[in-house]
């Protein structure tokens, strides 16, 4: 049986790998999540630029690859960018990998990308794992209005409170990372703002102790208190904004109820919004509330 790297090279045999900066999404925990194209890029790369060369070498060794690696963490990004520009200008391929997930998403990479583009050289994204989209896909939250990614939540209590208040008052699901030692304070602040807030705690995605917990702030606090080990690991928090207050007249509610008999709730709300001029999100939330009653 061929190795994953051999399979990747065979599958990508007809593809071109020109001199460029390749932004390679790395697994967020499970090494099997790497793509065939990413393996082919890592094989063809002349150099690996890595947030942490030790982490990158473990990934490479898992697939039988050996490459010279340059450290490009947030403290060396500007310096490494010039080294990478020089290498690509000389006709080489450079693959950038962060410790986990897609480069530049709360990880180093954006400065290097900007420097390579400014030099008139090519940047090629190699898609793959992302903790943000992984958590969203299994959250069960209402994503019809989209989502916003906020990086890490603010550390200072005043800023954290303002951040969470804005997320609750927004129109989209807010996705953010939280450090284990700050998660408890974050949940307590959220509970004080809205005890009924709807959120999902996503822990250790794709790893052995993966957890997806739909909950209220108090339920999350109770879950943490039940076992101190639960506060360990990497966390993604997804927060649904407060439902808009639906004040609908009898005609609108009758229309919604009739449409909902024939159509899914999201489609019924969209049709009713076109006919009444009311906001689709308000109508959709009203329908969901009726199902919960």
């Amino acid at each position: 049986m061929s190795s994953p790297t051999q399979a990747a090279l065979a599958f990508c045999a007809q593809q071109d790998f020109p001199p460029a900066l390749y932004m390679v999404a790395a697994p967020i925990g499970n090494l099997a999540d790497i793509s065939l194209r990413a393996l082919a890029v890592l094989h063809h790369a002349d150099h690996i630029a890595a947030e942490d060369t030790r982490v990158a070498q473990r990934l490479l060794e898992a697939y039988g690859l050996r490459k010279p690696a340059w450290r490009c963490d947030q403290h060396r990004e500007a310096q490494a960018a010039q080294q990478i520009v020089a290498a690509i200008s000389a006709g080489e391929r450079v693959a950038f990998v962060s410790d986990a997930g897609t480069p530049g998403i709360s990880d180093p990479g954006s400065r290097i990308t900007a420097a390579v583009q400014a030099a008139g050289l090519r940047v090629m994204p190699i898609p793959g794992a992302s903790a943000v989209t992984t958590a969203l896909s299994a959250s069960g939250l209402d994503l019809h209005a989209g989502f916003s990614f906020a990086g890490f939540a603010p550390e200072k209590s005043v800023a954290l409170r303002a951040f969470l208040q804005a997320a609750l008052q927004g129109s989209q699901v807010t996705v953010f990372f939280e450090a284990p030692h700050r998660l408890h304070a974050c949940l307590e602040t959220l509970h004080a703002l809205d005890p009924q807030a709807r959120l999902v705690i996503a822990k250790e995605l794709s790893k052995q102790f993966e957890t997806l917990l739909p909950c209220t702030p108090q339920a999350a606090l109770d879950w943490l208190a039940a076992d101190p080990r639960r506060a360990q690991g990497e966390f993604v928090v997804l927060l649904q904004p407060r439902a808009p207050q639906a004040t609908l007249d009898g005609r609108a509610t009758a229309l919604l109820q009739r449409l909902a008999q024939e159509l899914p709730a999201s489609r019924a709300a969209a049709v009713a919004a076109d006919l009444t001029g009311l906001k689709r999100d308000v109508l959709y939330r009203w329908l969901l509330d009726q199902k919960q009653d």
Side-chain angles (χ1 to χ4, degrees):
M1 182 180 296
S2 65
S3 72
T5 303
Q6 290 172 328
L9 294 175
F11 196 82
C12 299
Q14 303 304 314
Q15 298 185 22
D16 292 329
F17 296 92
L21 170 64
Y22 293 83
M23 303 300 283
V24 180
I28 57 176
N30 191 322
L31 288 180
D33 287 338
I34 197 163
S35 73
L36 292 178
R37 187 169 173 229
L39 285 177
V41 166
L42 294 174
H43 170 84
H44 288 295
D46 298 293
H47 296 279
I48 305 296
E51 180 181 3
D52 187 326
T53 55
R54 295 165 298 179
V55 175
Q57 291 295 352
R58 285 197 293 271
L59 173 63
L60 293 169
E61 290 170 4
Y63 290 100
L65 298 170
R66 297 180 66 85
K67 297 286 177 175
W70 299 328
R71 188 177 184 93
C72 302
D73 58 26
Q74 60 180 343
H75 304 296
R76 291 176 50 85
E77 225 179 325
Q79 176 183 345
Q82 301 310 310
Q83 188 177 20
I84 291 169
V85 166
I88 299 171
S89 298
E92 296 186 340
R93 308 177 188 96
V94 178
F96 182 93
V97 292
S98 57
D99 287 354
T102 301
I105 310 298
S106 284
D107 275 326
S110 58
R111 292 179 183 175
I112 293 172
T113 298
V116 171
Q117 291 173 335
L121 301 171
R122 189 170 182 182
V123 177
M124 298 183 66
I126 308 300
S130 165
V132 176
T133 53
T134 300
L136 282 165
S137 69
S139 70
L141 297 178
D142 179 9
L143 297 171
H144 286 84
F147 70 92
S148 61
F149 173 59
F152 278 89
E155 295 186 31
K156 302 295 185 180
S157 58
V158 174
L160 175 63
R161 184 180 181 87
F163 165 74
L164 294 173
Q165 183 70 278
L168 287 169
Q169 293 174 345
S171 60
Q172 299 178 320
V173 168
T174 299
V175 186
F176 60 95
F177 298 150
E178 187 55 284
H181 65 281
R182 297 201 302 265
L183 182 60
H184 190 276
C186 177
L187 293 169
E188 285 192 326
T189 303
L190 184 57
H191 180 267
L193 291 170
D194 185 354
Q196 301 306 315
R198 185 182 176 198
L199 68 152
V200 174
I201 304 293
K203 172 187 172 181
E204 295 289 272
L205 290 170
S206 84
K207 300 178 184 177
Q208 180 180 358
F209 298 105
E210 176 182 273
T211 302
L212 283 159
L213 180 68
C215 55
T216 61
Q218 187 59 58
L221 288 166
D222 293 342
W223 176 76
L224 286 175
D227 185 348
R229 291 173 297 183
R230 290 176 175 170
Q232 301 171 1
E234 298 177 336
F235 291 90
V236 183
V237 182
L238 305 96
L239 177 59
Q240 188 87 55
R242 290 190 184 101
Q245 296 297 316
T247 304
L248 307 180
D249 59 27
R251 175 177 171 272
T253 57
L255 175 63
L256 268 177
Q257 289 171 332
R258 182 66 187 92
L259 288 170
Q261 293 175 10
E262 307 293 337
L263 300 170
S266 60
R267 181 62 183 151
V271 173
D274 288 340
L275 294 174
T276 64
L278 297 172
K279 291 185 177 180
R280 191 207 68 87
D281 289 348
V282 172
L283 299 171
Y284 178 70
R285 178 54 57 187
W286 186 89
L287 279 175
L288 292 185
D289 290 342
Q290 306 316 300
K291 292 182 179 181
Q292 295 171 0
D293 290 343

